Amino acid sequence: MSEAQLPEHRPGTEPGSRTNLDPHVERYAARTAGMTASEIRALFAVASRPEVVSLAGGMPNLAALPLESLSQQMSELIAEDGLTALQYGSAHGVPALREQICDVMAMEGITGHPDDIVVTVGSQMALDMVTRLFCDPGDVVIAEGPSYVGALGSFAAYQAEVVHVAMDDDGLVPENLRAALAQCEKAGKRVKLLYTIPNFHNPAGVTLAVDRRAEILEICRQYDVLVVEDNPYGLLGFDGQTYPALRSMDPDNVVYLGSFSKTFASGLRVGWVLAPHAVREKLVLASESATLCPPTLNQLVVSKYLATHDWKGQIKTFRENYRERRDAMIGALEQYMPEGCSWTHPDGGFYVWLTVPEGVDAKAMLARAVTARVAYASGTGFYADGLGSRQMRLSYCYPTPERIREGVRRLAGVLESEMDLMRTFGSVTTRAVSGPQTPGPETA
Amino acid sequence: MSEAQLPEHRPGTEPGSRTNLDPHVERYAARTAGMTASEIRALFAVASRPEVVSLAGGMPNLAALPLESLSQQMSELIAEDGLTALQYGSAHGVPALREQICDVMAMEGITGHPDDIVVTVGSQMALDMVTRLFCDPGDVVIAEGPSYVGALGSFAAYQAEVVHVAMDDDGLVPENLRAALAQCEKAGKRVKLLYTIPNFHNPAGVTLAVDRRAEILEICRQYDVLVVEDNPYGLLGFDGQTYPALRSMDPDNVVYLGSFSKTFASGLRVGWVLAPHAVREKLVLASESATLCPPTLNQLVVSKYLATHDWKGQIKTFRENYRERRDAMIGALEQYMPEGCSWTHPDGGFYVWLTVPEGVDAKAMLARAVTARVAYASGTGFYADGLGSRQMRLSYCYPTPERIREGVRRLAGVLESEMDLMRTFGSVTTRAVSGPQTPGPETA
């Protein structure tokens, strides 16, 4: 986390503190009621100090990028094709890039047509557009529990109701999905989407078992629910393993979201949707009303990079960096964590999901952790229904292995103190559960 | 208009032709009913041919940009600051850029705090976010008639109702505004926003008289309506003239939208909102759920450009180019247009608003115009209520003066034929009025 990651505040103005003085308070749309800042933001002044080890962020580690040749390419791009790069494009996206995206998706078994791709401003925008297209207020989105905080933010913005389905170490549990859908049906709820991150889940760190995939698709077909497959980490399996995309198994009922944020550069904000043709047509119209078009420059930068760099080799380098960090985190958890804690064992991606002993409130503990110079993303942010108070997401993507080990050591110390207090006085804190928090890039 | 501006279609698939076959048709949210493609898109295959003079687009003419030094800067930026430029940032925007934006706005009399600015993916996103924040379905937005097609697209996406207020040569007419607000009040409608483009209006080409500004702000105060001031063209007055921004006269009740698309480069998609502090806080949260953050690279490119280039000199160059083109268009209209046509006389910006003789349907005529190798944006797209069938927007921003003159000559020929037919057979076509069309960059 760095200063660039969170908005600064004027001295003396805490987020929310002006709410009562806001002269516009009667004017907001109903949907703004769901917009609240994450608790890490409130701790920003402290949490952003360099001495704090942040295990809260989702920033990719870009140090391995070939900056020198990227610099050269950028220069060529403007000199040779500047009037295109700096001009409006279409909301659909640059045709050459859409063709290259097909090659990227082919690595996970997807056969798609470039025409059925819409380029978006990161896959966050893709998520927002898909929700815009399908969700009326009160419509249900089924999501894993926990789920990506940014998705919960988009669903809240469209006043969709999120129903979580629990996972196990093999990801989404088909029986749980079936039960949730049956219950919604019984309650007369209109379920529109299953939102799922099958590979190296954010925040859970688990992967959907291959032998569950067909079953999950079949259940969605049966209940007439469209599948939204969000796959930013699919190429970051630590052994180079990939899994068949849900999209590859049911092209007509899956909307697939992809991103270059984790495999190339997040600051370019280039993501995409691959959708059934009729849906794609509507997505283009929705995107036009949202941003007119994604930045042309950024699309050409990605396109040129894919055309001229060994991008698969670069992904391998990223994977190796993240594997080393994952190892550091898992090793440190094993070494330092007190009894009663458990955690997931990711084979790829950025995150470990940690469960703390009963009685510890991970959200309430965050302020104390930051004082002890370690930050994490508390679990409640990843649920729309108030669950997650005993969980936290630890990300190993950005800090060095040494810092990761030190961060986990500090966190273990905070937990030990918390548990000591608990043993002495009973439960340390009682806090009301709370709904989803609006995502920030720090929790992406 | 070029191939990059509009999505291609697969051979044999016309837009909308698959609607009846769309298996997802029952799944869409109610808001998608308002999403329809513009008619120019349907004519794309023909209209994009190089022999067609397009007076339909809103693409700035970038030929005067200093590509060589931009190329050099881009290269330095990546080499020196690549790990920041390629990394996530905050939804609030890069602090240095927000400070520079204050200098830009100062040119129109605005005193703002950098903290109250939110950087967006073009001002289209700013518009979308403001609507997201304030408009529940059925809420009313007052807008000039005609109004920017992209704004109508955003309002439709949030199911807001647009009530148009007529302009004259001095822009929005205060009495008309007052009457519309009184009528809405009487009808029990909840008016949330006045959306206005005070300077060098898109599409009308007129400017709000300075002596009307205070009155309009006062009326909005009286009816408790927030003002959204959209000002992409304010620095493009052909004599270098600027007008006091509404924001400068009532900071607490105006949300101001700015953009670098017309004063620097549209393909970077860098715009901003300046909002009252409490609104700004909510805008950041809304933006996070929409795109996480605007592209860092693009913000740094703009920031570096503003810091090192003579950006005011560059704007002067742009202004001179556009003035030459405006002169070409006005001259050609005077020379070629048949009796019964009238048009506005812009002192800045990109557009002339043309009214054709009674009985001519500008929308129905478009296909014939394209066949005669000239394209325009027909007027109905700029109204949410079906008006505008006798109007069209002619843009002089992109083609050369020679092409503009030739385009107007062709258009006059089409109109002459149309009027000939009309004189012979009565009204040429009778077409149902239609609602707003979704914007594309070609009509931005």
Side-chain angles (χ1 to χ4, degrees):
Chain A
M1 193 161 22
S2 71
E3 188 167 339
Q5 302 327 116
L6 288 169
E8 78 274 28
H9 297 291
R10 290 182 186 166
T13 64
E14 289 308 302
S17 68
R18 292 194 174 202
T19 307
N20 294 335
L21 301 172
D22 180 1
H24 307 281
V25 72
E26 299 295 326
R27 290 169 165 176
Y28 296 119
R31 69 177 69 83
T32 65
M35 295 179 185
T36 53
S38 68
E39 79 271 20
I40 194 84
R41 188 186 299 267
L43 299 171
F44 170 69
V46 185
S48 62
R49 289 190 193 147
E51 67 268 26
V52 174
V53 176
S54 179
L55 306 175
M59 292 196 296
N61 192 314
L62 303 178
L65 279 177
L67 290 187
E68 214 164 297
S69 65
L70 285 173
S71 159
Q72 176 63 27
Q73 289 207 337
M74 211 81 94
S75 162
E76 285 168 21
L77 186 59
I78 296 298
E80 293 162 12
D81 210 12
L83 293 187
T84 302
L86 299 171
Q87 185 59 275
Y88 287 122
S90 81
H92 195 174
V94 168
L97 176 61
R98 288 189 276 110
E99 285 182 22
Q100 292 165 305
I101 286 172
C102 289
D103 298 337
V104 174
M105 293 192 296
M107 292 182 73
E108 292 172 271
I110 295 173
T111 319
H113 192 290
D115 188 38
D116 291 339
I117 291 168
V118 183
V119 180
T120 53
V121 180
S123 67
Q124 182 70 36
M125 179 178 165
L127 198 48
D128 201 73
M129 291 298 101
V130 170
T131 314
R132 177 176 293 201
L133 218 55
F134 287 102
C135 293
D136 284 311
D139 282 350
V140 170
V141 177
I142 303 273
E144 285 123 356
S147 186
Y148 166 51
V149 61
L152 300 182
S154 265
F155 302 148
Y158 293 93
Q159 298 164 279
E161 182 191 337
V162 174
V163 171
H164 289 291
V165 172
M167 291 179 281
D168 61 18
D169 286 345
D170 287 328
L172 190 63
V173 180
E175 302 89 82
N176 295 352
L177 174 62
R178 204 186 295 274
L181 285 165
Q183 205 169 352
C184 287
E185 190 173 68
K186 208 170 147 192
K189 288 178 177 172
R190 194 176 177 204
V191 181
K192 283 291 183 68
L193 309 173
L194 166 66
Y195 170 71
T196 177
I197 306 167
N199 303 317
F200 319 123
H201 192 274
N202 176 7
V206 300
T207 292
L208 181 63
V210 172
D211 60 10
R212 286 182 180 179
R213 298 188 177 212
E215 188 177 357
I216 281 168
L217 290 165
E218 178 52 38
I219 295 169
C220 288
R221 282 262 175 200
Q222 188 188 330
Y223 281 89
D224 192 28
V225 169
L226 184 67
V227 178
V228 179
E229 176 179 27
D230 190 5
N231 189 30
Y233 308 101
L235 298 179
L236 294 177
F238 296 138
D239 299 319
Q241 78 279 29
T242 56
Y243 301 99
L246 298 173
R247 169 56 172 71
S248 71
M249 303 164 75
D250 191 357
D252 294 334
N253 202 44
V254 176
V255 171
Y256 177 94
L257 314 185
S259 172
F260 289 106
S261 290
K262 276 80 183 185
T263 53
F264 178 26
S266 46
L268 296 173
R269 315 301 300 117
V270 180
W272 72 89
V273 198
L274 172 68
H277 192 76
V279 174
R280 192 284 284 159
E281 287 182 345
K282 286 198 152 45
L283 278 172
V284 169
L285 299 177
S287 291
E288 282 174 352
S289 71
T291 63
L292 275 190
C293 61
T296 316
L297 173 69
N298 307 237
Q299 296 178 75
L300 295 185
V301 168
V302 175
S303 182
K304 194 165 178 128
Y305 171 80
L306 292 174
T308 59
H309 272 89
D310 174 18
W311 59 272
K312 292 184 187 181
Q314 182 66 48
I315 291 176
K316 188 161 179 284
T317 305
F318 282 137
R319 273 202 310 256
E320 284 163 3
N321 287 343
Y322 294 130
R323 182 174 53 201
E324 188 192 357
R325 286 166 164 77
R326 186 270 320 256
D327 290 344
M329 178 166 279
I330 295 291
L333 287 167
E334 285 168 356
Q335 185 178 350
Y336 297 118
M337 277 293 139
E339 209 167 322
C341 294
S342 61
W343 52 88
T344 54
H345 291 76
D347 295 322
F350 284 11
Y351 307 108
V352 164
W353 186 243
L354 177 75
T355 300
V356 297
E358 199 159 339
V360 177
D361 181 330
K363 185 172 178 178
M365 197 181 79
L366 179 58
R368 287 185 287 277
V370 170
T371 309
R373 293 170 297 134
V374 59
Y376 55 81
S378 60
T380 49
F382 302 94
Y383 283 93
D385 58 7
L387 288 179
S389 62
R390 269 181 63 202
Q391 271 89 30
M392 61 181 73
R393 189 191 71 179
L394 303 180
S395 55
Y396 49 79
C397 44
Y398 195 75
T400 60
E402 293 65 39
R403 294 271 288 174
I404 289 169
R405 275 186 285 269
E406 176 58 20
V408 171
R409 198 186 62 78
R410 291 176 189 170
L411 180 60
V414 176
L415 262 172
E416 294 273 16
S417 314
E418 201 81 355
M419 290 161 70
D420 270 354
L421 274 171
M422 214 170 65
R423 275 186 289 266
T424 314
F425 299 106
S427 180
V428 183
T429 46
T430 50
R431 286 179 61 110
V433 295
S434 70
Q437 295 140 353
T438 301
E442 80 279 13
T443 48
Chain B
M1 193 163 19
S2 72
E3 187 166 339
Q5 302 326 116
L6 288 169
E8 78 274 29
H9 298 290
R10 289 183 187 166
T13 64
E14 289 308 303
S17 69
R18 292 198 174 199
T19 308
N20 294 334
L21 301 173
D22 180 0
H24 306 280
V25 74
E26 299 295 327
R27 290 170 165 175
Y28 296 118
R31 69 178 68 82
T32 64
M35 295 179 187
T36 51
S38 68
E39 79 272 20
I40 192 86
R41 189 186 297 269
L43 298 171
F44 170 69
V46 185
S48 62
R49 288 190 194 147
E51 66 269 25
V52 175
V53 176
S54 179
L55 307 175
M59 292 197 297
N61 193 314
L62 303 178
L65 279 178
L67 290 188
E68 213 165 298
S69 67
L70 285 174
S71 159
Q72 175 64 26
Q73 290 207 336
M74 211 82 93
S75 162
E76 284 168 21
L77 186 59
I78 296 297
E80 292 162 14
D81 211 12
L83 294 187
T84 302
L86 299 171
Q87 184 59 274
Y88 288 122
S90 82
H92 196 173
V94 168
L97 177 60
R98 287 189 277 111
E99 285 182 22
Q100 293 165 306
I101 286 172
C102 289
D103 298 336
V104 174
M105 292 191 297
M107 293 182 72
E108 291 172 273
I110 295 174
T111 318
H113 191 290
D115 188 37
D116 292 338
I117 291 168
V118 182
V119 180
T120 53
V121 180
S123 67
Q124 182 70 36
M125 178 177 165
L127 199 47
D128 201 73
M129 291 298 101
V130 170
T131 315
R132 178 176 293 202
L133 218 53
F134 287 101
C135 293
D136 285 310
D139 282 351
V140 170
V141 178
I142 303 272
E144 284 123 357
S147 185
Y148 167 51
V149 61
L152 300 182
S154 265
F155 302 147
Y158 293 93
Q159 296 164 278
E161 183 192 336
V162 174
V163 171
H164 289 290
V165 172
M167 291 179 283
D168 61 18
D169 286 345
D170 288 327
L172 191 62
V173 180
E175 302 88 83
N176 295 352
L177 174 62
R178 205 187 294 274
L181 284 165
Q183 204 168 352
C184 287
E185 190 174 68
K186 208 171 148 192
K189 288 179 177 173
R190 195 177 177 203
V191 181
K192 284 291 183 66
L193 309 173
L194 166 67
Y195 169 73
T196 178
I197 305 167
N199 303 317
F200 319 124
H201 192 273
N202 175 7
V206 299
T207 291
L208 181 62
V210 171
D211 61 10
R212 287 183 180 180
R213 297 187 179 213
E215 186 177 359
I216 280 167
L217 289 166
E218 178 52 37
I219 296 169
C220 288
R221 282 263 175 199
Q222 187 188 332
Y223 281 89
D224 192 28
V225 169
L226 184 67
V227 177
V228 179
E229 176 178 28
D230 191 4
N231 189 30
Y233 309 101
L235 298 179
L236 294 177
F238 297 138
D239 299 319
Q241 77 280 31
T242 56
Y243 302 99
L246 298 173
R247 169 56 172 72
S248 72
M249 304 164 75
D250 191 357
D252 294 333
N253 202 44
V254 176
V255 172
Y256 178 92
L257 314 186
S259 173
F260 289 106
S261 289
K262 276 80 183 183
T263 53
F264 178 27
S266 47
L268 296 173
R269 313 303 300 116
V270 180
W272 72 89
V273 198
L274 171 69
H277 192 76
V279 174
R280 190 284 284 160
E281 286 183 346
K282 286 198 152 44
L283 278 172
V284 169
L285 299 177
S287 292
E288 282 174 352
S289 71
T291 63
L292 275 188
C293 62
T296 316
L297 173 70
N298 307 238
Q299 295 178 76
L300 295 184
V301 167
V302 175
S303 182
K304 196 167 177 129
Y305 170 80
L306 293 174
T308 58
H309 272 89
D310 174 18
W311 59 271
K312 292 184 188 181
Q314 181 65 49
I315 290 175
K316 187 162 179 284
T317 305
F318 281 138
R319 273 202 310 256
E320 284 163 3
N321 286 344
Y322 294 130
R323 182 175 52 200
E324 189 192 357
R325 287 166 164 76
R326 186 271 321 256
D327 291 344
M329 179 166 279
I330 295 291
L333 287 166
E334 285 167 357
Q335 184 177 351
Y336 297 119
M337 278 293 139
E339 208 167 325
C341 294
S342 61
W343 51 89
T344 54
H345 291 74
D347 295 322
F350 285 11
Y351 307 108
V352 165
W353 186 244
L354 177 75
T355 300
V356 297
E358 200 159 340
V360 176
D361 181 330
K363 186 172 176 176
M365 196 181 80
L366 179 57
R368 287 185 287 278
V370 170
T371 309
R373 292 170 298 134
V374 58
Y376 55 81
S378 60
T380 49
F382 302 94
Y383 283 93
D385 58 7
L387 288 179
S389 61
R390 267 181 64 202
Q391 272 88 30
M392 61 182 73
R393 189 191 70 179
L394 303 181
S395 54
Y396 49 79
C397 45
Y398 194 76
T400 60
E402 294 65 38
R403 294 271 287 174
I404 289 170
R405 275 186 285 270
E406 175 58 20
V408 170
R409 199 187 61 78
R410 291 176 190 171
L411 180 60
V414 176
L415 263 172
E416 295 273 19
S417 314
E418 201 81 355
M419 290 160 70
D420 270 355
L421 274 172
M422 215 169 66
R423 277 186 290 267
T424 315
F425 299 106
S427 180
V428 183
T429 47
T430 49
R431 285 179 60 111
V433 295
S434 70
Q437 295 141 351
T438 300
E442 79 278 14
T443 49

